[in-house]
Amino acid sequence: MDHSGLTRDQLLDVYYHLRLTRTLEERIGILYRQGRIFGGVYLSTGQEAVSVGAAYALGPGDIIVPSHRDMGAHLLRGIQSREILAQYLGRVGGLSRGRDGNVHYGDIQRGDVAFISSMADGIPVATGVALALKRQGKGRVAMTWFGEGASSRGDFHEGINLAAVLRVPVVFVCNNNQYAYSTPLSRQTRIPDIAARAGGYGIPGTIVDGNDVLAVYDTAREAVERARRGEGPSLIECKTMRMRGHSEHDDASYVPRQLLEEWRAKDPIQGFEARLREWGILDEAGEARIAKRIADELEAAVAWAEASPFPEGKDVEQGVYST
Ligand SMILES: Cc1ncc(C[n+]2csc(CCOP(=O)(O)OP(=O)(O)O)c2C)c(N)n1
Ligand SMILES: [Mg+2]
């Protein structure tokens, strides 16, 4: 059986990151419903394999430009769950040091470019990052994530076209979760596959089962290797489903229940767990150990975040202007 060339420890690490992503986001959802979070909360529940699988294909020197549903990518880049919780709680310990109450965070030191809220604007930014990396000539690559809705915006087309023409080392990962807020795919584009858009720019476009973490990893690894070889960008379309509302204030009542049930049966974490068990890599005790490790980590993380103070008014300009 092919395990994507990953060792047993790496496979368990992938599993840990999938579960950490889900559990951390569930915790954030609870904090939101308790009224303790200031901004909106956009979860990746049911599509965690897109950010985890793709980010797992990166090396330490690579740079990510995630979007609002890519918690797994932040975690794999070394952002700590406690920093993310402090971010959502608006505390000084958060990545924007209390200046933002949700998703606009990253850390350039760790190769994580903060999310830009304007949909698809991460694409030209990732192209610029990749141009800088190409000029450095060290074989580093950039990877960016966005939704299928974002792929109908101008920045997507201009950014990908420029990346293709300049042959810069960037991987474009589209999470096609069927909805852009309340708009289903069929009402925002006539094409069924976002990957087809790659053809318009002369780059490879691949469709992958976005709920199969190893399939996402395999496809991303190929695209990353191609970029490292100097062969330019690729577009990967991960077919998945948004299992929550657009944000936690939205009950997604406009999404057919039947569709959600179909996708619930294809849950990426349960599916991967079943395979790990089949391969003899995970058993009940191992699963319980990982669950406990995550629960303990998040307990400590929430306590750490809550102990972190709110920012002081006098520091509001700190880090805002270039000095
Ligand atoms: C230019 C722009 N238009 C509208 C919005 C409001 N908005 C935020 S997320 C979103 C939907 C995005 O859908 P998609 O790209 O499919 O990503 P998903 O949320 O499904 O992951 C919209 C319309 C925005 N942030 N930026
Ligand atoms: Mg979408």
Side-chain angles (χ1 to χ4, degrees):
M1 179 101 35
D2 179 21
H3 300 165
S4 300
L6 294 173
T7 64
R8 186 193 164 84
D9 283 350
Q10 285 174 318
L11 290 164
L12 286 171
D13 191 38
V14 169
Y15 176 69
Y16 160 78
H17 278 95
L18 285 172
R19 290 222 17 192
L20 177 62
T21 302
R22 179 160 305 174
T23 319
L24 172 57
E25 289 194 330
E26 282 170 355
R27 192 65 189 248
I28 291 167
I30 292 168
L31 291 168
Y32 177 80
R33 281 182 284 282
Q34 290 173 337
R36 289 150 84 191
I37 286 176
F38 300 101
V41 166
Y42 313 85
L43 303 183
S44 68
T45 310
Q47 54 179 83
E48 297 92 342
V50 176
S51 57
V52 171
Y56 215 79
L58 295 171
D62 297 330
I63 293 185
I64 61 167
V65 186
S67 195
H68 55 295
R69 251 177 262 284
D70 302 310
M71 178 69 83
H74 290 293
L75 293 169
L76 275 166
R77 211 65 306 213
I79 306 292
Q80 303 294 306
S81 40
R82 63 180 192 193
E83 296 172 280
I84 293 168
L85 285 158
Q87 170 77 16
Y88 275 95
L89 293 169
R91 309 302 172 102
V92 166
L95 292 137
S96 63
R97 282 171 278 144
R99 284 162 180 74
D100 179 77
N102 61 359
V103 281
H104 311 102
Y105 63 83
D107 179 6
I108 205 68
Q109 303 303 328
R110 284 175 275 188
D112 185 340
V113 178
F115 172 54
I116 307 157
S117 230
S118 189
M119 287 299 108
D121 278 10
I123 292 169
V125 169
T127 296
V129 168
L131 176 59
L133 296 179
K134 180 177 176 163
R135 293 177 71 140
Q136 284 179 357
K138 293 181 185 155
R140 299 164 71 192
V141 310
M143 184 180 279
T144 187
W145 288 258
F146 48 88
E148 85 294 339
S151 80
S152 290
R153 281 210 65 244
D155 306 77
F156 168 95
H157 298 276
E158 294 174 33
I160 293 194
N161 186 57
L162 184 64
V165 168
L166 299 176
R167 279 172 93 87
V168 294
V170 55
V171 180
F172 299 109
V173 184
C174 176
N175 95 67
N176 180 354
N177 62 7
Q178 321 291 331
Y179 280 82
Y181 219 123
S182 55
T183 308
L185 181 69
S186 60
R187 295 197 59 189
Q188 63 99 357
T189 171
R190 282 281 169 207
I191 54 167
D193 301 314
I194 303 303
R197 294 190 156 161
Y201 305 106
I203 66 167
T206 309
I207 298 173
V208 63
D209 175 356
N211 282 22
D212 179 343
V213 72
L214 293 187
V216 174
Y217 168 74
D218 288 338
T219 310
R221 196 184 46 188
E222 259 175 52
V224 166
E225 282 168 8
R226 181 186 145 82
R228 281 204 216 291
R229 287 195 303 268
E231 292 169 28
S234 317
L235 172 63
I236 300 171
E237 176 187 5
C238 303
K239 302 275 194 196
T240 185
M241 180 68 201
R242 198 191 70 202
M243 299 303 291
R244 310 280 311 168
H246 171 67
S247 113
E248 288 303 282
H249 71 265
D250 165 19
D251 66 3
S253 52
Y254 48 84
V255 177
R257 297 297 103 171
Q258 173 69 20
L259 188 58
L260 291 172
E261 286 320 309
E262 278 166 30
W263 281 92
R264 207 176 304 286
K266 296 189 265 192
D267 183 83
I269 302 184
Q270 281 173 15
F272 189 50
E273 188 174 312
R275 275 196 285 171
L276 290 178
R277 283 177 189 253
E278 202 181 295
W279 297 336
I281 290 170
L282 189 73
D283 57 12
E284 225 157 277
E287 191 271 329
R289 257 197 313 277
I290 291 175
K292 183 171 185 322
R293 177 181 163 199
I294 291 171
D296 290 350
E297 178 181 331
L298 292 186
E299 252 356 278
V302 171
W304 185 89
E306 286 188 323
S308 177
F310 288 107
E312 300 249 8
K314 66 177 172 51
D315 298 331
V316 75
E317 288 184 2
Q318 225 179 58
V320 174
Y321 301 105
S322 169
T323 46

